[in-house]
Amino acid sequence: MCKISKLSIPLALSLLVLAACGNKDQASQKTTLNLMQSSELTTLDNTNQATMPEFSTLTNLDEGLYKLNSNNKVVPAIATKIVKPTNNGKTYTIKLRKDARWSNGDKVTAQDFVYSWRRSVDPKNKPVYTYVFSGIKNADAIAAGKMSVEKLGIQAKGKYTLMIELEHPIQSFNKLVTMPTFLPQDHKFVQKVGTQKYGTSAKTTVSNGAFKITNWTGTNTKYKLVKNKYYYARDKVKLQTINYQTVKDDTTAYNLFKTGKLDDTVVSGVVAQGLQNDKNMKKIPRAWTYYLQVNQSGDAPLSNAKLRKAISLVLDRKELTQKVLADGSTAAGAFVSPKTATDPTTGKDFSSEVSASTKANVAQAKKLWQEGLKESGKSSITLNVIAEDTSQQKKVTEYLQSTIESKLSNATVNVSNLPSKSLSNRKADGDFDLSLWYWLADYADPINYLGILTSGNSMNPGKYADSTYDTYIKNAQNAGNQKTYWQNLQNAEKQLQNSTGIIPLYYVKEDHMVKSNLAGVNYHTAGFADYTRAYWK
């Protein structure tokens, strides 16, 4: 407490002391956090999208059955406890807490999970993450349009009990359902506003977690999360407001941090390089790989395997990471990033044991390029490269354009850096040859990466299709023991490399500038940062 005697202190001095006391009280009561997104938020419907702004926002808005704690361990959220499966690992009977409510006051029920999960595999909803439901009873058949969504292996047994049935044991099931894709939806509210409008603005969105969203029209670049008065653990939430704004440029992000308009911001490239010894720098290890999606459909130029391989071999990943990015990112020799998971059958980091060489081989690239051109009946090729319109991705695409055009004869590269929605539309239409993209692991298992590249997968816009690869993934999914599971994952990663299904570029080490008195943030290696228990020291 700050005590002042008006009689003993001159007026000017008393005003200074009063100001100091006011600032102290204001600081001790700070309940607002200012954060950034690298691209626009386009939807909060967790059943048909899977973008970083969406998932990072949903992590702080909603809770599913389980969530990750500060040690990346699975703990109960809406479920009352972590349950062990019965029926030889194929049946989960989960009790839900009765005090969980949506931000409009509705109770969170078992039917909300059933409704959301069904929407997430229903072809009519145009879902993009159906593959993660594979192994849940009838999910694959439903996603293929061969069975009704009512046949999905999830049932409400009363208002607060869920029964989930699997086709085979899923070793990573508890981690799997921490993903935003498995969040519930207030089925009464969604049906009221309509499935086409749900999650397209603050007015058409409700949440069941620590916060609810406001000031979001669906197109604006700034929005707020405000404390949810109905949250069952609201006494543990210290923040009243989280302000988000879209910032695509590293210099802008750092300037906003310096002027106090951002409290935790991501920086990269030259900006990050100059801040490596800054006291506010926080390096966050991430299970995160940037790679090139390669259009292999029909008569696309890179449907020729030799041309794809030539592109991969001509790239100097060391130069890209150390000179272009210069932010601690490292060259990628595999799709699965380091420290995602340890192979229990060998005790080695999975990524390390399957990684290919990251060195460029320009001579071999030129040879394959000429052979590929001849096989394709072409004398020259124009490649259309697309990416997001962030400063980091612009630098990477500039490097790709310069390297390919200077090292491979008769190659022309056109680059388009696009807003998130436009980029998504171009990929959906197959209107690209190379797309710079990323995979940030949702849970710590290699199959979370490798599973998205099976034939026909909604997260596989390059249309990579390899029957041998598909078999390895299927064998892993149905494996009855650890040895079979991990051996098939190794085989799948190596087959992906041999066929150049994608072109891995670099692994991300995320550089954050963070105010020194911000505490309580859970930065997860796989998944997204959880700010729901953040506070100011």
Side-chain angles (χ1 to χ4, degrees):
M1 180 178 294
C2 194
K3 297 181 179 179
I4 305 170
S5 171
K6 294 183 180 179
L7 295 176
S8 61
I9 304 177
L11 178 60
L13 182 57
S14 67
L15 291 174
L16 289 172
V17 175
L18 281 167
C21 274
N23 290 337
K24 180 179 178 182
D25 291 341
Q26 187 178 20
S28 66
Q29 296 172 6
K30 187 175 180 181
T31 57
T32 298
L33 179 65
N34 298 305
L35 301 176
M36 63 165 279
Q37 297 282 18
S38 60
S39 58
E40 295 86 351
L41 179 65
T42 58
T43 181
L44 283 172
D45 184 348
N46 63 290
T47 66
N48 62 14
Q49 289 295 325
T51 62
M52 285 184 66
E54 179 201 4
F55 273 18
S56 64
T57 304
L58 286 170
T59 297
N60 295 287
L61 282 176
D62 287 292
E63 289 189 354
L65 295 171
Y66 305 144
K67 62 183 179 180
L68 298 177
N69 66 10
S70 58
N71 296 315
N72 291 307
K73 302 296 183 183
V74 177
V75 295
I78 304 300
T80 58
K81 65 178 182 179
I82 306 295
V83 303
K84 292 183 178 181
T86 57
N87 186 27
N88 296 317
K90 294 189 292 185
T91 302
Y92 288 80
T93 303
I94 301 175
K95 300 288 184 181
L96 307 183
R97 56 187 316 135
K98 297 179 180 179
D99 57 349
R101 290 180 178 269
W102 294 98
S103 54
N104 62 355
D106 289 348
K107 292 184 177 181
V108 180
T109 67
Q111 187 59 37
D112 292 335
F113 283 92
V114 175
Y115 180 76
S116 179
W117 289 25
R118 285 177 176 176
R119 289 194 70 218
S120 292
V121 296
D122 189 347
K124 294 179 182 178
N125 194 41
K126 298 181 180 179
V128 297
Y129 243 157
T130 54
Y131 87 96
V132 298
F133 287 83
S134 184
I136 296 175
K137 188 176 179 180
N138 299 324
D140 291 337
I142 295 167
K146 298 178 180 178
M147 193 175 288
S148 167
V149 293
E150 282 74 21
K151 298 292 184 180
L152 185 66
I154 180 171
Q155 301 178 55
K157 296 294 185 178
K159 199 169 186 177
Y160 298 107
T161 302
L162 270 180
M163 187 173 78
I164 301 167
E165 295 180 278
L166 309 181
E167 293 175 342
H168 53 78
I170 299 177
Q171 296 180 25
S172 56
F173 180 80
N174 289 347
K175 290 181 179 179
L176 179 69
V177 297
T178 65
M179 290 177 57
T181 310
F182 291 91
L183 291 169
Q185 290 184 347
D186 183 349
H187 68 284
K188 294 179 181 178
F189 180 84
V190 178
Q191 290 170 346
K192 181 180 178 181
V193 301
T195 55
Q196 295 300 312
K197 290 185 177 180
Y198 175 71
T200 59
S201 68
K203 291 181 179 180
T204 60
T205 304
V206 291
S207 53
N208 70 349
F211 298 94
K212 67 177 182 178
I213 191 167
T214 65
N215 298 82
W216 179 53
T217 64
T219 58
N220 54 324
T221 58
K222 294 182 179 182
Y223 57 95
K224 297 177 182 288
L225 307 189
V226 299
K227 190 172 180 178
N228 176 14
K229 66 180 181 180
Y230 293 108
Y231 182 47
Y232 67 86
R234 55 190 173 276
D235 59 318
K236 295 182 180 179
V237 181
K238 307 304 180 186
L239 296 176
Q240 291 293 331
T241 307
I242 299 178
N243 295 316
Y244 278 102
Q245 62 177 301
T246 302
V247 183
K248 300 181 180 183
D249 179 73
D250 291 309
T251 301
T252 301
Y254 178 56
N255 288 335
L256 289 170
F257 177 81
K258 284 197 302 181
T259 56
K261 295 178 181 178
L262 286 176
D263 301 312
D264 181 343
T265 184
V266 179
V267 292
S268 61
V270 176
V271 174
Q273 186 179 22
L275 296 170
Q276 293 301 303
N277 296 319
D278 192 287
K279 65 178 182 179
N280 295 117
M281 171 62 71
K282 188 177 184 68
K283 303 188 80 64
I284 311 294
R286 305 288 269 150
W288 189 354
T289 304
Y290 263 86
Y291 65 104
L292 289 174
Q293 296 170 326
V294 188
N295 191 343
Q296 298 161 59
S297 61
D299 58 354
L302 298 181
S303 59
N304 181 280
K306 290 182 178 178
L307 294 177
R308 297 197 301 273
K309 192 69 172 180
I311 296 290
S312 181
L313 286 173
V314 82
L315 301 176
D316 188 336
R317 291 162 176 81
K318 184 176 180 180
E319 180 182 46
L320 172 62
T321 55
Q322 294 186 2
K323 295 183 179 180
V324 178
L325 295 169
D327 59 359
S329 296
T330 55
F335 187 28
V336 179
S337 68
K339 297 185 179 179
T340 296
T342 298
D343 181 345
T345 65
T346 63
K348 297 179 181 178
D349 178 85
F350 178 84
S351 179
S352 299
E353 67 182 358
V354 297
S355 184
S357 172
T358 60
K359 293 182 178 180
N361 188 333
V362 178
Q364 180 67 5
K366 289 181 176 180
K367 179 175 181 293
L368 289 172
W369 185 253
Q370 293 303 320
E371 291 175 357
L373 287 175
K374 186 176 181 180
E375 290 176 2
S376 302
K378 299 177 185 295
S379 58
S380 63
I381 286 180
T382 297
L383 299 176
N384 294 309
V385 179
I386 60 175
E388 285 188 321
D389 56 351
T390 64
S391 59
Q392 183 191 51
Q393 293 203 26
K394 287 178 181 178
K395 293 172 186 174
V396 175
T397 52
E398 286 172 4
Y399 167 79
L400 294 173
Q401 182 180 48
S402 173
T403 301
I404 294 171
E405 288 187 341
S406 64
K407 304 292 185 184
L408 299 175
S409 61
N410 301 318
T412 301
V413 178
N414 297 324
V415 172
S416 299
N417 291 96
L418 307 164
S420 181
K421 184 171 283 189
S422 298
L423 179 66
S424 180
N425 290 338
R426 284 278 296 268
K427 289 201 289 187
D429 293 339
D431 185 13
F432 70 97
D433 295 307
L434 294 168
S435 172
L436 178 61
W437 199 235
Y438 56 83
W439 189 254
L440 174 57
D442 302 294
Y443 60 99
D445 194 288
I447 204 165
N448 184 233
Y449 290 84
L450 300 171
I452 71 169
L453 295 177
T454 51
S455 301
N457 193 290
S458 57
M459 302 299 290
N460 179 15
K463 308 300 181 184
Y464 172 61
D466 186 299
S467 59
T468 301
Y469 181 86
D470 291 346
T471 298
Y472 287 139
I473 296 299
K474 186 174 182 179
N475 289 344
Q477 290 171 333
N478 295 303
N481 58 71
Q482 292 278 339
K483 184 176 181 180
T484 301
Y485 180 74
W486 289 92
Q487 184 59 60
N488 276 283
L489 291 181
Q490 286 185 37
N491 292 342
E493 174 69 64
K494 291 175 181 177
Q495 180 66 17
L496 179 64
Q497 294 169 16
N498 292 337
S499 55
T500 321
I502 62 167
I503 301 176
L505 294 178
Y506 58 94
Y507 304 125
V508 175
K509 181 164 284 187
E510 200 169 68
D511 287 340
H512 283 239
M513 294 298 290
V514 184
K515 294 294 175 61
S516 59
N517 57 335
L518 178 63
V521 182
N522 291 335
Y523 296 100
H524 299 305
T525 303
F528 295 86
D530 181 349
Y531 293 92
T532 62
R533 301 300 188 270
Y535 63 94
W536 293 100
K537 293 187 292 186

